[in-house]
Amino acid sequence: MSQLLWTSEEIALATGGTASDPFWVSGTISIDTRTLVPGDLFVVLQDQRDGHDFVEAAFKAGAAGALVSKPVTGGPTIMVGDVLSALEMMGIAARARSGAIRTAVTGSVGKTSVKEMLARIYRAAGPAHWNVKSFNNHWGVPLTLARMPEATERAVFEIGMSTPGEIAPRSHMVRPHIGIVTCIAGAHLEGLGSLEAVANEKADIFAGMEAGGTFILPADDAFLDQLSARARELCPTGNLETFGTAQNATARVTRYETNGVTSRISIDVIGQRAELEIAAVGKHWAVNAAAALLAASQTGRSVADCAEALSGYSPPPGRGTVEQIALPQGGHFTLVDDAYNANPASMRAALSALAQRQGGRRLVALGEMLEIGEESAREHAGLAPDVVASGAEGVFLVGDKMTHLAEALPPSLQQVWAPKADELWNALLNAVRDGDVLLLKGSNASGMGLIADRLRQRSAAAGLGKMDSSDEDAAEVR
């Protein structure tokens, strides 16, 4: 039997709550009855729906117990005044009982990718823990902490924000030994107003850093000095390390080569050479790898072991994953799914990587970038040179903000604009051909991820020979 994650007595002690009956959590902590498995603790959070409405379903699915703030029936509970506050207290208790080396990652671009790279390296070294998907907000961080087994040796936490003042309290919860800022770019400008304010907010990841910890900063970033000053203000005993392509970077990318499918990378980490190959394209992936290797090397692992563990890495879903999609009329095209999110920096990185991919025609389908503030029109129009440099022969644009890019593109470049993603569907199907490479990217709310899902479903149907007449008509190439 695996070690129990929590007992009802421990939960009550951590939260100040009252247990109705004893129980033992042999699984993990769940906030969604659709993914709950027997032995999980069901935590009742309130969002668009009151989680108390799902307690009965949780117990039917085999929940060991439930963390609640009002009476329910069906199984043992811990009653607390506020469930989210209780979850935060569980997270802090889980951190305190574990001897894990904790790494926290934030940044405008690349934080999920660096987190996933570190999770891969840490798993190879022993018991490891990390947040799933992008659970990096006000409930995601305490949930990830509360899920951490006591035997964890290395853990990595992604910390994000949507409004000012959110990162510092999450840093205090995690209390990282190592903190990383991946880069500063035009994300969340709508709420923060300036890149300087973005830099200050991201630097708050060091607010809860353990004394003598290590802050890892992007050597090539224009805000390096500001980040460094803020880090030292928050943690005067901290140790500064950097990563990137700059000559004085602690972890410096010295070589990057790609065949359009995989990338071969050399990185000098504190005087030690690391060689690795990953299933991702674009020099920004080499910089992400440098950050991950540098951070992992601070946990007692050799640079060589870290590089070996990272080799073979491929991006998480929606972050630049590459798939072969079947066409109903025969043949395949390459889908580059980078549709999870977008800001000007990540758009440019994705377009630059597209130029390095092999195949037939290059096509781009781009959703509008959200939360980039007063400069939105200029930032969208400013992508035009990058679209042209990508070698795209067809451009598909979604959202009102993308009209600025449409106006800035050369008239000779074939393009289609639609106000919503689903209205782009037929035009995209009519255009894509055997051998094409299609990049999908946009802010999550732009709907580009839904297009990626529909393309996969259509590909599966084509493989089974099942296409309805409407899809067959839409698939005709004009």
Side-chain angles (χ1 to χ4, degrees):
M1 180 177 177
S2 60
Q3 184 176 0
L4 295 175
L5 183 65
W6 290 94
T7 67
S8 55
E9 183 179 7
E10 291 168 340
I11 298 170
L13 183 63
T15 64
T18 302
S20 64
D21 295 287
F23 64 88
W24 300 264
V25 179
S26 59
T28 186
I29 298 176
S30 173
I31 59 172
D32 189 339
T33 56
R34 294 169 297 182
T35 55
L36 185 148
V37 299
D40 285 357
L41 171 70
F42 182 58
V43 173
V44 173
L45 295 179
Q46 297 195 40
D47 190 18
Q48 296 177 343
R49 296 281 303 274
D50 185 345
H52 290 89
D53 296 340
F54 301 95
V55 172
E56 181 180 353
F59 283 127
K60 286 182 178 178
L67 185 66
V68 300
S69 60
K70 59 186 181 184
V72 297
T73 59
T77 63
I78 301 286
M79 178 71 72
V80 296
D82 180 87
V83 173
L84 181 57
S85 295
L87 180 62
E88 291 172 351
M89 288 185 279
M90 287 181 67
I92 292 169
R95 182 202 73 208
R97 71 185 183 184
S98 170
I101 301 172
R102 300 179 298 279
T103 305
V105 185
T106 194
S108 301
V109 181
K111 57 183 176 290
T112 301
S113 299
V114 171
K115 178 264 293 184
E116 290 291 330
M117 287 180 167
L118 279 168
R120 181 184 176 96
I121 298 170
Y122 290 172
R123 286 194 297 269
H129 186 66
W130 61 97
N131 56 298
V132 298
K133 300 180 181 178
S134 289
F135 282 10
N136 62 19
N137 61 4
H138 63 291
W139 56 260
V141 172
L143 176 65
T144 302
L145 272 169
R147 286 173 166 176
M148 183 167 65
E150 184 176 354
T152 301
E153 295 178 358
R154 294 171 178 82
V156 55
F157 302 86
E158 180 182 336
I159 298 182
M161 53 79 62
S162 56
T163 58
E166 294 186 19
I167 289 182
R170 294 167 200 170
S171 173
H172 282 293
M173 261 189 272
V174 172
R175 292 201 60 83
H177 301 92
I178 303 162
I180 306 170
V181 177
T182 58
C183 75
I184 303 300
H188 303 300
L189 286 174
E190 197 169 273
L192 292 167
S194 69
L195 286 173
E196 289 78 10
V198 172
N200 277 336
E201 177 70 19
K202 296 298 185 182
D204 278 355
I205 197 169
F206 307 118
M209 176 167 279
E210 296 281 9
T214 299
F215 15 86
I216 295 176
L217 300 176
D220 307 298
D221 201 284
F223 292 91
L224 173 62
D225 291 342
Q226 180 180 336
L227 291 168
S228 176
R230 179 68 174 151
R232 293 203 178 282
E233 177 185 337
L234 293 168
C235 183
T237 60
N239 173 49
L240 172 64
E241 306 289 356
T242 61
F243 65 94
T245 61
Q247 281 294 121
N248 60 347
T250 312
R252 180 169 62 92
V253 178
T254 58
R255 180 178 66 100
Y256 173 79
E257 297 175 353
T258 182
N259 58 9
V261 178
T262 61
S263 296
R264 294 167 300 282
I265 304 166
S266 298
I267 302 172
D268 184 304
V269 185
I270 321 177
Q272 300 179 61
R273 185 172 179 175
E275 302 276 353
L276 64 151
E277 183 171 338
I278 61 175
V281 175
K283 196 167 185 179
H284 59 291
W285 288 106
V287 175
N288 289 343
L293 290 181
L294 177 57
S297 72
Q298 304 292 305
T299 70
R301 294 281 285 168
S302 71
V303 171
D305 286 344
C306 294
E308 182 180 359
L310 185 55
S311 290
Y313 168 89
S314 59
R319 308 282 185 169
T321 46
V322 178
E323 304 163 61
Q324 293 298 306
I325 302 295
L327 291 165
Q329 66 269 33
H332 296 76
F333 71 92
T334 300
L335 172 64
V336 182
D337 180 5
D338 204 352
Y340 187 83
N341 217 333
N343 59 44
S346 66
M347 277 283 197
R348 290 188 170 90
L351 290 165
S352 175
L354 178 64
Q356 301 174 66
R357 293 194 180 276
Q358 297 177 345
R361 299 179 309 158
R362 298 186 184 95
L363 306 175
V364 296
L366 307 177
E368 61 187 353
M369 302 178 291
L370 305 177
E371 299 182 16
I372 56 176
E374 297 178 357
E375 296 298 311
S376 177
R378 183 180 65 82
E379 292 288 5
H380 281 83
L383 295 175
D386 301 276
V387 172
V388 173
S390 74
E393 297 183 43
V395 181
F396 302 83
L397 305 174
V398 172
D400 292 339
K401 294 178 174 61
M402 274 297 175
T403 58
H404 303 291
L405 174 56
E407 293 167 359
L409 288 170
S412 58
L413 183 55
Q414 181 181 359
Q415 59 174 283
V416 177
W417 174 86
K420 296 181 179 179
D422 57 0
E423 297 176 40
L424 196 71
W425 178 246
N426 284 345
L428 191 58
L429 294 188
N430 288 339
V432 70
R433 304 173 190 165
D434 182 33
D436 285 350
V437 181
L438 170 64
L439 167 67
L440 289 180
K441 189 163 182 65
S443 287
N444 204 16
S446 71
M448 305 310 290
L450 298 177
I451 288 183
D453 290 339
R454 287 185 69 181
L455 287 170
R456 292 186 190 98
Q457 293 165 5
R458 187 168 173 273
S459 175
L464 294 172
K466 298 178 180 179
M467 293 291 296
D468 63 36
S469 60
S470 61
D471 272 346
E472 289 173 353
D473 292 341
E476 292 178 4
V477 178
R478 293 174 179 171

